[in-house]
Amino acid sequence: MTAQQSPSDPSAALAARAAAVLREAAGLDSVDLAVVLGSGWTQAADLIGTTVASVAAEQLPGFHVSGVPGHSGRVTVVRSAAGQTVLVIGARTHLYQGLGVDAVTHGVRAAAALGAHAVVLTNGCGGIDPALAPGTPVLIADHINLTGESALRGPRFIDCTEVYSARLRSLAREVAPELPEGVYAQFRGPQYETPAEVRMARTLGADLVGMSTALEAVAARAEGLEVLGLSLVTNLAAGVSATPLSHAEVMEAGRSAAPVITKLLADIVGKIA
Ligand code: 8IG
């Protein structure tokens, strides 16, 4: 039992309660891995496998409805063609909702409590490099956490040299050899960046800007999970192109890329042994 899993830790107890509800709903003791669906990726559950159980976020301790159009608000257990059981989380809590970091990291901790050994974190994001056109999926190689928050509480000095598993990235490249890699900068949001903030992120070494994933990835590593990060560039970051950003544009890019990226995700998931 790790420090965070101690029964006296209320956030661990909440994750354990969510895991218990899912265990009961699916009639399973554990899952093999988990997938968190971000903007643009939500239709993937159907392609990953056949549904064993599907629970609305409202029925699951610690989960919240995101209120973001394009998120399903459901947590589903599916069985893949390869025989894996996969927890598909379509109810992500974002830091900008103001519910605190423990709510943001709850999904991956619930997945860990259910026995998942790996998590695939997906998101929609802005592209800083103009070569990363909207509709391009990108493997996250590393991140920069610009939220000012940590995923962790207490003296948990975990190593972050390889948050995003090199093993899982090379599995992903077996499916799609041309997948580019990039560094993801997490901002708190919900406002998109100013052009000056995008220039700052570029100067710091970021290729992608978003509002999720980095905190979840660190929480997942603290729970001992292997992490794969997959971003869909849905828009050029502010100031990279002359046109202002709109959520409608983001949604449209997600919709048109959906068939390709959901297949990509399902194929990658099927490879994670
Ligand atoms: I979708 O341009 C999506 N999410 N921070 N910036 C940030 N988050 C995003 C963006 C973006 N696009």
Short mmCIF file of all heavy atoms in Angstrom, two decimals, residues 8-82:
data_model
loop_
_atom_site.label_atom_id
_atom_site.label_comp_id
_atom_site.label_asym_id
_atom_site.label_seq_id
_atom_site.Cartn_x
_atom_site.Cartn_y
_atom_site.Cartn_z
N SER A 8 -6.75 6.30 5.34
CA SER A 8 -7.02 7.58 5.98
C SER A 8 -6.96 8.73 4.98
O SER A 8 -7.31 9.85 5.31
CB SER A 8 -6.01 7.81 7.11
OG SER A 8 -4.71 7.79 6.56
N ASP A 9 -6.51 8.45 3.73
CA ASP A 9 -6.45 9.49 2.71
C ASP A 9 -7.83 9.58 2.04
O ASP A 9 -8.24 8.65 1.36
CB ASP A 9 -5.35 9.11 1.70
CG ASP A 9 -5.24 10.10 0.56
OD1 ASP A 9 -6.21 10.86 0.33
OD2 ASP A 9 -4.20 10.10 -0.10
N PRO A 10 -8.55 10.70 2.26
CA PRO A 10 -9.92 10.76 1.73
C PRO A 10 -9.99 10.65 0.22
O PRO A 10 -10.94 10.07 -0.32
CB PRO A 10 -10.43 12.12 2.20
CG PRO A 10 -9.31 12.82 2.86
CD PRO A 10 -8.15 11.90 2.98
N SER A 11 -8.98 11.16 -0.52
CA SER A 11 -9.06 11.08 -1.97
C SER A 11 -8.84 9.63 -2.43
O SER A 11 -9.45 9.18 -3.41
CB SER A 11 -8.07 12.04 -2.64
OG SER A 11 -6.76 11.69 -2.31
N ALA A 12 -8.00 8.88 -1.71
CA ALA A 12 -7.82 7.46 -2.03
C ALA A 12 -9.08 6.67 -1.71
O ALA A 12 -9.47 5.77 -2.47
CB ALA A 12 -6.63 6.90 -1.26
N ALA A 13 -9.74 7.04 -0.63
CA ALA A 13 -10.98 6.35 -0.26
C ALA A 13 -12.04 6.59 -1.32
O ALA A 13 -12.80 5.68 -1.69
CB ALA A 13 -11.46 6.84 1.10
N LEU A 14 -12.09 7.82 -1.86
CA LEU A 14 -13.07 8.14 -2.91
C LEU A 14 -12.78 7.35 -4.19
O LEU A 14 -13.69 6.83 -4.84
CB LEU A 14 -13.04 9.65 -3.18
CG LEU A 14 -14.22 10.27 -3.92
CD1 LEU A 14 -15.54 10.01 -3.18
CD2 LEU A 14 -13.99 11.78 -4.11
N ALA A 15 -11.50 7.24 -4.54
CA ALA A 15 -11.12 6.45 -5.72
C ALA A 15 -11.50 4.98 -5.51
O ALA A 15 -11.99 4.32 -6.43
CB ALA A 15 -9.61 6.58 -5.97
N ALA A 16 -11.31 4.48 -4.30
CA ALA A 16 -11.66 3.09 -4.00
C ALA A 16 -13.18 2.89 -4.10
O ALA A 16 -13.64 1.84 -4.59
CB ALA A 16 -11.17 2.72 -2.60
N ARG A 17 -13.95 3.90 -3.68
CA ARG A 17 -15.42 3.78 -3.78
C ARG A 17 -15.86 3.75 -5.24
O ARG A 17 -16.75 2.99 -5.62
CB ARG A 17 -16.09 4.94 -3.04
CG ARG A 17 -16.17 4.72 -1.52
CD ARG A 17 -16.76 5.93 -0.81
NE ARG A 17 -18.04 6.34 -1.37
CZ ARG A 17 -18.51 7.59 -1.38
NH1 ARG A 17 -17.77 8.57 -0.89
NH2 ARG A 17 -19.68 7.85 -1.89
N ALA A 18 -15.24 4.60 -6.08
CA ALA A 18 -15.58 4.60 -7.51
C ALA A 18 -15.23 3.24 -8.12
O ALA A 18 -16.00 2.67 -8.90
CB ALA A 18 -14.85 5.73 -8.23
N ALA A 19 -14.07 2.72 -7.74
CA ALA A 19 -13.63 1.42 -8.27
C ALA A 19 -14.61 0.33 -7.86
O ALA A 19 -14.94 -0.55 -8.66
CB ALA A 19 -12.22 1.11 -7.77
N ALA A 20 -15.12 0.42 -6.64
CA ALA A 20 -16.07 -0.60 -6.15
C ALA A 20 -17.36 -0.56 -6.97
O ALA A 20 -17.90 -1.62 -7.34
CB ALA A 20 -16.36 -0.38 -4.66
N VAL A 21 -17.86 0.65 -7.28
CA VAL A 21 -19.09 0.77 -8.08
C VAL A 21 -18.86 0.17 -9.47
O VAL A 21 -19.70 -0.56 -10.00
CB VAL A 21 -19.52 2.25 -8.19
CG1 VAL A 21 -20.67 2.40 -9.19
CG2 VAL A 21 -19.92 2.80 -6.82
N LEU A 22 -17.70 0.45 -10.05
CA LEU A 22 -17.40 -0.06 -11.40
C LEU A 22 -17.23 -1.57 -11.40
O LEU A 22 -17.67 -2.27 -12.32
CB LEU A 22 -16.16 0.64 -11.95
CG LEU A 22 -16.39 2.11 -12.33
CD1 LEU A 22 -15.07 2.87 -12.46
CD2 LEU A 22 -17.19 2.20 -13.63
N ARG A 23 -16.58 -2.09 -10.35
CA ARG A 23 -16.40 -3.54 -10.21
C ARG A 23 -17.75 -4.25 -10.19
O ARG A 23 -17.97 -5.24 -10.87
CB ARG A 23 -15.68 -3.81 -8.87
CG ARG A 23 -14.47 -4.67 -9.00
CD ARG A 23 -13.77 -4.84 -7.65
NE ARG A 23 -12.44 -4.30 -7.76
CZ ARG A 23 -11.96 -3.32 -7.03
NH1 ARG A 23 -12.69 -2.77 -6.07
NH2 ARG A 23 -10.74 -2.90 -7.23
N GLU A 24 -18.65 -3.67 -9.41
CA GLU A 24 -20.00 -4.22 -9.26
C GLU A 24 -20.76 -4.14 -10.60
O GLU A 24 -21.37 -5.12 -11.05
CB GLU A 24 -20.72 -3.40 -8.17
CG GLU A 24 -22.19 -3.69 -7.99
CD GLU A 24 -22.42 -5.00 -7.23
OE1 GLU A 24 -21.49 -5.44 -6.53
OE2 GLU A 24 -23.53 -5.56 -7.38
N ALA A 25 -20.67 -2.98 -11.27
CA ALA A 25 -21.42 -2.77 -12.52
C ALA A 25 -20.93 -3.72 -13.61
O ALA A 25 -21.71 -4.24 -14.40
CB ALA A 25 -21.31 -1.32 -12.97
N ALA A 26 -19.60 -3.92 -13.65
CA ALA A 26 -19.02 -4.71 -14.74
C ALA A 26 -18.90 -6.19 -14.38
O ALA A 26 -18.64 -7.02 -15.25
CB ALA A 26 -17.64 -4.15 -15.11
N GLY A 27 -19.06 -6.52 -13.10
CA GLY A 27 -18.88 -7.90 -12.67
C GLY A 27 -17.45 -8.38 -12.87
O GLY A 27 -17.19 -9.53 -13.21
N LEU A 28 -16.51 -7.47 -12.66
CA LEU A 28 -15.08 -7.78 -12.84
C LEU A 28 -14.30 -7.33 -11.61
O LEU A 28 -14.66 -6.35 -10.98
CB LEU A 28 -14.52 -7.00 -14.04
CG LEU A 28 -15.00 -7.38 -15.43
CD1 LEU A 28 -14.61 -6.28 -16.42
CD2 LEU A 28 -14.38 -8.70 -15.86
N ASP A 29 -13.21 -8.03 -11.30
CA ASP A 29 -12.38 -7.64 -10.18
C ASP A 29 -11.44 -6.50 -10.54
O ASP A 29 -11.04 -5.71 -9.70
CB ASP A 29 -11.53 -8.82 -9.69
CG ASP A 29 -12.34 -9.75 -8.82
OD1 ASP A 29 -13.41 -9.31 -8.34
OD2 ASP A 29 -11.92 -10.90 -8.64
N SER A 30 -11.04 -6.46 -11.83
CA SER A 30 -10.05 -5.47 -12.21
C SER A 30 -10.14 -5.19 -13.71
O SER A 30 -10.80 -5.93 -14.44
CB SER A 30 -8.63 -5.97 -11.88
OG SER A 30 -8.36 -7.14 -12.63
N VAL A 31 -9.49 -4.13 -14.13
CA VAL A 31 -9.33 -3.86 -15.56
C VAL A 31 -7.83 -3.92 -15.88
O VAL A 31 -6.99 -3.85 -14.98
CB VAL A 31 -9.90 -2.48 -15.97
CG1 VAL A 31 -11.41 -2.42 -15.74
CG2 VAL A 31 -9.18 -1.35 -15.26
N ASP A 32 -7.53 -4.06 -17.16
CA ASP A 32 -6.13 -4.12 -17.57
C ASP A 32 -5.54 -2.72 -17.76
O ASP A 32 -4.41 -2.46 -17.38
CB ASP A 32 -5.98 -4.92 -18.87
CG ASP A 32 -6.42 -6.37 -18.68
OD1 ASP A 32 -5.92 -6.99 -17.72
OD2 ASP A 32 -7.26 -6.86 -19.45
N LEU A 33 -6.31 -1.86 -18.41
CA LEU A 33 -5.82 -0.51 -18.63
C LEU A 33 -6.97 0.47 -18.70
O LEU A 33 -8.14 0.08 -18.69
CB LEU A 33 -4.92 -0.41 -19.86
CG LEU A 33 -5.50 -0.71 -21.22
CD1 LEU A 33 -4.73 0.09 -22.27
CD2 LEU A 33 -5.33 -2.19 -21.54
N ALA A 34 -6.62 1.76 -18.76
CA ALA A 34 -7.63 2.81 -18.80
C ALA A 34 -7.30 3.77 -19.93
O ALA A 34 -6.14 3.91 -20.33
CB ALA A 34 -7.69 3.54 -17.47
N VAL A 35 -8.35 4.40 -20.45
CA VAL A 35 -8.20 5.42 -21.49
C VAL A 35 -9.03 6.62 -21.04
O VAL A 35 -10.19 6.46 -20.66
CB VAL A 35 -8.72 4.90 -22.84
CG1 VAL A 35 -8.63 5.98 -23.91
CG2 VAL A 35 -7.97 3.65 -23.28
N VAL A 36 -8.44 7.79 -21.06
CA VAL A 36 -9.19 9.01 -20.76
C VAL A 36 -9.43 9.74 -22.08
O VAL A 36 -8.47 10.01 -22.82
CB VAL A 36 -8.44 9.92 -19.77
CG1 VAL A 36 -9.25 11.19 -19.49
CG2 VAL A 36 -8.16 9.18 -18.46
N LEU A 37 -10.71 9.98 -22.38
CA LEU A 37 -11.06 10.57 -23.68
C LEU A 37 -11.16 12.09 -23.58
O LEU A 37 -11.94 12.63 -22.80
CB LEU A 37 -12.40 10.00 -24.16
CG LEU A 37 -12.44 8.48 -24.38
CD1 LEU A 37 -13.85 8.06 -24.78
CD2 LEU A 37 -11.42 8.05 -25.42
N GLY A 38 -10.37 12.76 -24.40
CA GLY A 38 -10.43 14.22 -24.47
C GLY A 38 -11.24 14.68 -25.66
O GLY A 38 -11.81 13.87 -26.40
N SER A 39 -11.26 16.00 -25.87
CA SER A 39 -12.00 16.58 -26.98
C SER A 39 -11.54 15.96 -28.29
O SER A 39 -10.35 15.90 -28.57
CB SER A 39 -11.77 18.09 -27.06
OG SER A 39 -12.10 18.70 -25.86
N GLY A 40 -12.51 15.50 -29.08
CA GLY A 40 -12.19 14.91 -30.38
C GLY A 40 -12.07 13.40 -30.35
O GLY A 40 -12.14 12.75 -31.38
N TRP A 41 -11.88 12.83 -29.15
CA TRP A 41 -11.60 11.39 -29.04
C TRP A 41 -12.80 10.61 -28.53
O TRP A 41 -12.72 9.39 -28.34
CB TRP A 41 -10.43 11.17 -28.07
CG TRP A 41 -9.14 11.80 -28.47
CD1 TRP A 41 -8.75 13.09 -28.20
CD2 TRP A 41 -8.06 11.22 -29.21
NE1 TRP A 41 -7.49 13.32 -28.72
CE2 TRP A 41 -7.05 12.18 -29.34
CE3 TRP A 41 -7.86 9.93 -29.76
CZ2 TRP A 41 -5.86 11.94 -30.01
CZ3 TRP A 41 -6.67 9.68 -30.43
CH2 TRP A 41 -5.68 10.68 -30.55
N THR A 42 -13.93 11.29 -28.29
CA THR A 42 -15.00 10.66 -27.49
C THR A 42 -15.67 9.46 -28.14
O THR A 42 -16.23 8.64 -27.43
CB THR A 42 -16.09 11.68 -27.14
OG1 THR A 42 -16.33 12.49 -28.28
CG2 THR A 42 -15.67 12.55 -25.98
N GLN A 43 -15.63 9.35 -29.45
CA GLN A 43 -16.32 8.20 -30.05
C GLN A 43 -15.49 6.92 -29.97
O GLN A 43 -15.93 5.87 -30.46
CB GLN A 43 -16.67 8.47 -31.52
CG GLN A 43 -17.86 9.39 -31.69
CD GLN A 43 -17.46 10.61 -32.51
OE1 GLN A 43 -16.46 11.25 -32.23
NE2 GLN A 43 -18.23 10.91 -33.53
N ALA A 44 -14.31 7.01 -29.37
CA ALA A 44 -13.39 5.87 -29.42
C ALA A 44 -13.88 4.64 -28.67
O ALA A 44 -13.52 3.51 -29.02
CB ALA A 44 -12.01 6.28 -28.91
N ALA A 45 -14.71 4.83 -27.63
CA ALA A 45 -15.11 3.70 -26.78
C ALA A 45 -15.66 2.55 -27.62
O ALA A 45 -15.29 1.39 -27.41
CB ALA A 45 -16.14 4.14 -25.74
N ASP A 46 -16.51 2.87 -28.59
CA ASP A 46 -17.15 1.84 -29.40
C ASP A 46 -16.14 1.04 -30.21
O ASP A 46 -16.33 -0.15 -30.46
CB ASP A 46 -18.16 2.47 -30.38
CG ASP A 46 -19.26 3.21 -29.65
OD1 ASP A 46 -19.47 2.91 -28.45
OD2 ASP A 46 -19.91 4.09 -30.26
N LEU A 47 -15.08 1.72 -30.67
CA LEU A 47 -14.08 1.03 -31.49
C LEU A 47 -13.11 0.22 -30.65
O LEU A 47 -12.53 -0.75 -31.12
CB LEU A 47 -13.28 2.06 -32.30
CG LEU A 47 -13.81 2.42 -33.68
CD1 LEU A 47 -12.80 3.28 -34.40
CD2 LEU A 47 -14.13 1.18 -34.50
N ILE A 48 -12.91 0.63 -29.40
CA ILE A 48 -11.93 -0.07 -28.55
C ILE A 48 -12.45 -1.47 -28.21
O ILE A 48 -11.68 -2.42 -28.12
CB ILE A 48 -11.62 0.75 -27.28
CG1 ILE A 48 -10.87 2.03 -27.66
CG2 ILE A 48 -10.81 -0.06 -26.28
CD1 ILE A 48 -10.71 3.02 -26.52
N GLY A 49 -13.76 -1.58 -28.05
CA GLY A 49 -14.29 -2.91 -27.73
C GLY A 49 -15.78 -2.88 -27.49
O GLY A 49 -16.44 -1.86 -27.71
N THR A 50 -16.30 -4.01 -27.02
CA THR A 50 -17.74 -4.10 -26.75
C THR A 50 -17.99 -3.73 -25.29
O THR A 50 -17.21 -4.06 -24.39
CB THR A 50 -18.26 -5.53 -27.01
OG1 THR A 50 -17.45 -6.44 -26.26
CG2 THR A 50 -18.14 -5.89 -28.48
N THR A 51 -19.09 -3.03 -25.08
CA THR A 51 -19.39 -2.50 -23.76
C THR A 51 -19.78 -3.60 -22.78
O THR A 51 -20.65 -4.42 -23.07
CB THR A 51 -20.53 -1.47 -23.87
OG1 THR A 51 -20.09 -0.42 -24.74
CG2 THR A 51 -20.88 -0.87 -22.50
N VAL A 52 -19.12 -3.61 -21.64
CA VAL A 52 -19.46 -4.53 -20.55
C VAL A 52 -20.39 -3.82 -19.57
O VAL A 52 -21.37 -4.39 -19.08
CB VAL A 52 -18.20 -5.03 -19.82
CG1 VAL A 52 -18.55 -5.91 -18.64
CG2 VAL A 52 -17.26 -5.74 -20.79
N ALA A 53 -20.08 -2.56 -19.29
CA ALA A 53 -20.91 -1.75 -18.39
C ALA A 53 -20.63 -0.29 -18.67
O ALA A 53 -19.52 0.06 -19.07
CB ALA A 53 -20.59 -2.08 -16.93
N SER A 54 -21.63 0.55 -18.50
CA SER A 54 -21.44 1.98 -18.72
C SER A 54 -22.17 2.73 -17.62
O SER A 54 -23.35 2.48 -17.37
CB SER A 54 -21.99 2.35 -20.10
OG SER A 54 -21.83 3.74 -20.31
N VAL A 55 -21.47 3.60 -16.93
CA VAL A 55 -22.03 4.30 -15.77
C VAL A 55 -21.92 5.80 -16.00
O VAL A 55 -20.87 6.29 -16.43
CB VAL A 55 -21.26 3.90 -14.48
CG1 VAL A 55 -21.88 4.54 -13.25
CG2 VAL A 55 -21.19 2.38 -14.32
N ALA A 56 -22.99 6.52 -15.72
CA ALA A 56 -22.95 7.99 -15.84
C ALA A 56 -22.09 8.57 -14.72
O ALA A 56 -22.09 8.07 -13.60
CB ALA A 56 -24.37 8.55 -15.76
N ALA A 57 -21.37 9.63 -15.04
CA ALA A 57 -20.48 10.26 -14.06
C ALA A 57 -21.21 10.58 -12.75
O ALA A 57 -20.66 10.39 -11.66
CB ALA A 57 -19.88 11.54 -14.65
N GLU A 58 -22.46 11.00 -12.87
CA GLU A 58 -23.25 11.37 -11.67
C GLU A 58 -23.42 10.19 -10.72
O GLU A 58 -23.65 10.38 -9.52
CB GLU A 58 -24.65 11.86 -12.05
CG GLU A 58 -24.70 13.09 -12.92
CD GLU A 58 -24.74 12.76 -14.41
OE1 GLU A 58 -23.90 11.94 -14.85
OE2 GLU A 58 -25.59 13.31 -15.11
N GLN A 59 -23.35 8.95 -11.24
CA GLN A 59 -23.55 7.77 -10.41
C GLN A 59 -22.24 7.27 -9.80
O GLN A 59 -22.24 6.29 -9.07
CB GLN A 59 -24.14 6.60 -11.22
CG GLN A 59 -25.27 6.92 -12.15
CD GLN A 59 -26.46 7.53 -11.42
OE1 GLN A 59 -26.99 8.54 -11.84
NE2 GLN A 59 -26.85 6.93 -10.32
N LEU A 60 -21.13 7.95 -10.14
CA LEU A 60 -19.83 7.44 -9.71
C LEU A 60 -19.19 8.39 -8.70
O LEU A 60 -18.94 9.55 -9.01
CB LEU A 60 -18.89 7.33 -10.92
CG LEU A 60 -18.86 6.03 -11.70
CD1 LEU A 60 -17.83 6.14 -12.82
CD2 LEU A 60 -18.52 4.86 -10.79
N PRO A 61 -18.88 7.88 -7.51
CA PRO A 61 -18.25 8.74 -6.50
C PRO A 61 -17.03 9.47 -7.06
O PRO A 61 -16.16 8.84 -7.67
CB PRO A 61 -17.85 7.76 -5.39
CG PRO A 61 -18.82 6.62 -5.53
CD PRO A 61 -19.10 6.51 -7.00
N GLY A 62 -16.99 10.79 -6.87
CA GLY A 62 -15.81 11.58 -7.24
C GLY A 62 -15.74 12.03 -8.68
O GLY A 62 -14.88 12.83 -9.03
N PHE A 63 -16.62 11.51 -9.54
CA PHE A 63 -16.63 11.96 -10.93
C PHE A 63 -17.62 13.12 -11.08
O PHE A 63 -18.59 13.22 -10.34
CB PHE A 63 -17.02 10.81 -11.88
CG PHE A 63 -15.88 9.85 -12.13
CD1 PHE A 63 -15.62 8.81 -11.23
CD2 PHE A 63 -15.06 9.99 -13.24
CE1 PHE A 63 -14.56 7.93 -11.45
CE2 PHE A 63 -14.00 9.11 -13.46
CZ PHE A 63 -13.76 8.08 -12.57
N HIS A 64 -17.34 13.98 -12.05
CA HIS A 64 -18.19 15.15 -12.27
C HIS A 64 -18.51 15.25 -13.75
O HIS A 64 -17.74 14.80 -14.59
CB HIS A 64 -17.46 16.42 -11.83
CG HIS A 64 -17.05 16.41 -10.40
ND1 HIS A 64 -17.89 16.82 -9.39
CD2 HIS A 64 -15.92 15.98 -9.80
CE1 HIS A 64 -17.28 16.66 -8.22
NE2 HIS A 64 -16.07 16.15 -8.44
N VAL A 65 -19.64 15.86 -14.05
CA VAL A 65 -19.97 16.16 -15.44
C VAL A 65 -19.14 17.39 -15.82
O VAL A 65 -19.13 18.37 -15.09
CB VAL A 65 -21.46 16.43 -15.60
CG1 VAL A 65 -21.83 16.62 -17.06
CG2 VAL A 65 -22.27 15.29 -14.99
N SER A 66 -18.41 17.28 -16.95
CA SER A 66 -17.49 18.37 -17.26
C SER A 66 -18.22 19.60 -17.78
O SER A 66 -17.74 20.71 -17.63
CB SER A 66 -16.47 17.91 -18.31
OG SER A 66 -17.07 17.88 -19.58
N GLY A 67 -19.37 19.40 -18.39
CA GLY A 67 -20.07 20.54 -18.97
C GLY A 67 -19.45 21.00 -20.27
O GLY A 67 -19.90 21.96 -20.87
N VAL A 68 -18.37 20.32 -20.72
CA VAL A 68 -17.74 20.69 -21.98
C VAL A 68 -18.42 19.91 -23.10
O VAL A 68 -18.48 18.69 -23.05
CB VAL A 68 -16.23 20.32 -21.99
CG1 VAL A 68 -15.58 20.78 -23.29
CG2 VAL A 68 -15.54 20.94 -20.80
N PRO A 69 -18.97 20.63 -24.12
CA PRO A 69 -19.54 19.90 -25.24
C PRO A 69 -18.47 19.00 -25.85
O PRO A 69 -17.30 19.39 -25.95
CB PRO A 69 -19.94 21.01 -26.23
CG PRO A 69 -19.92 22.28 -25.46
CD PRO A 69 -18.97 22.08 -24.32
N GLY A 70 -18.83 17.80 -26.20
CA GLY A 70 -17.84 16.89 -26.77
C GLY A 70 -17.26 15.93 -25.75
O GLY A 70 -16.33 15.19 -26.06
N HIS A 71 -17.75 15.95 -24.51
CA HIS A 71 -17.36 14.92 -23.54
C HIS A 71 -18.62 14.12 -23.19
O HIS A 71 -19.69 14.69 -22.99
CB HIS A 71 -16.76 15.56 -22.28
CG HIS A 71 -15.37 16.12 -22.49
ND1 HIS A 71 -14.24 15.46 -22.06
CD2 HIS A 71 -14.94 17.23 -23.10
CE1 HIS A 71 -13.16 16.16 -22.39
NE2 HIS A 71 -13.56 17.26 -23.02
N SER A 72 -18.50 12.79 -23.13
CA SER A 72 -19.70 11.94 -23.02
C SER A 72 -20.30 11.96 -21.63
O SER A 72 -21.49 11.71 -21.46
CB SER A 72 -19.36 10.51 -23.43
OG SER A 72 -18.70 9.84 -22.36
N GLY A 73 -19.49 12.20 -20.61
CA GLY A 73 -20.00 12.16 -19.25
C GLY A 73 -20.24 10.75 -18.73
O GLY A 73 -20.95 10.57 -17.75
N ARG A 74 -19.63 9.76 -19.38
CA ARG A 74 -19.82 8.37 -18.94
C ARG A 74 -18.47 7.68 -18.72
O ARG A 74 -17.47 8.04 -19.34
CB ARG A 74 -20.62 7.58 -19.97
CG ARG A 74 -22.00 8.15 -20.25
CD ARG A 74 -22.87 7.19 -21.03
NE ARG A 74 -23.35 6.06 -20.25
CZ ARG A 74 -24.42 6.12 -19.43
NH1 ARG A 74 -25.09 7.23 -19.30
NH2 ARG A 74 -24.80 5.05 -18.75
N VAL A 75 -18.50 6.70 -17.87
CA VAL A 75 -17.33 5.84 -17.66
C VAL A 75 -17.77 4.43 -18.04
O VAL A 75 -18.76 3.92 -17.52
CB VAL A 75 -16.85 5.91 -16.20
CG1 VAL A 75 -15.65 4.98 -15.99
CG2 VAL A 75 -16.49 7.35 -15.83
N THR A 76 -17.02 3.83 -18.96
CA THR A 76 -17.47 2.59 -19.58
C THR A 76 -16.37 1.53 -19.44
O THR A 76 -15.19 1.84 -19.61
CB THR A 76 -17.77 2.84 -21.08
OG1 THR A 76 -18.71 3.92 -21.16
CG2 THR A 76 -18.36 1.63 -21.76
N VAL A 77 -16.76 0.32 -19.15
CA VAL A 77 -15.82 -0.80 -19.18
C VAL A 77 -16.07 -1.55 -20.49
O VAL A 77 -17.21 -1.92 -20.77
CB VAL A 77 -16.01 -1.75 -17.98
CG1 VAL A 77 -15.07 -2.95 -18.08
CG2 VAL A 77 -15.78 -1.00 -16.67
N VAL A 78 -15.04 -1.71 -21.29
CA VAL A 78 -15.19 -2.44 -22.55
C VAL A 78 -14.22 -3.61 -22.59
O VAL A 78 -13.20 -3.61 -21.89
CB VAL A 78 -14.96 -1.52 -23.79
CG1 VAL A 78 -15.87 -0.31 -23.77
CG2 VAL A 78 -13.52 -1.10 -23.92
N ARG A 79 -14.58 -4.61 -23.40
CA ARG A 79 -13.66 -5.72 -23.64
C ARG A 79 -13.17 -5.62 -25.08
O ARG A 79 -13.98 -5.56 -26.01
CB ARG A 79 -14.34 -7.07 -23.38
CG ARG A 79 -13.34 -8.24 -23.42
CD ARG A 79 -13.99 -9.58 -23.13
NE ARG A 79 -14.65 -9.64 -21.83
CZ ARG A 79 -14.01 -9.77 -20.66
NH1 ARG A 79 -12.70 -9.88 -20.62
NH2 ARG A 79 -14.71 -9.82 -19.53
N SER A 80 -11.86 -5.56 -25.25
CA SER A 80 -11.30 -5.37 -26.59
C SER A 80 -11.23 -6.70 -27.33
O SER A 80 -11.32 -7.78 -26.72
CB SER A 80 -9.90 -4.77 -26.50
OG SER A 80 -8.99 -5.76 -26.07
N ALA A 81 -11.05 -6.61 -28.65
CA ALA A 81 -10.90 -7.82 -29.47
C ALA A 81 -9.70 -8.62 -29.00
O ALA A 81 -9.68 -9.85 -29.10
CB ALA A 81 -10.76 -7.43 -30.94
N ALA A 82 -8.68 -7.93 -28.48
CA ALA A 82 -7.48 -8.61 -28.01
C ALA A 82 -7.69 -9.25 -26.63
O ALA A 82 -6.77 -9.86 -26.08
CB ALA A 82 -6.31 -7.63 -27.96
#
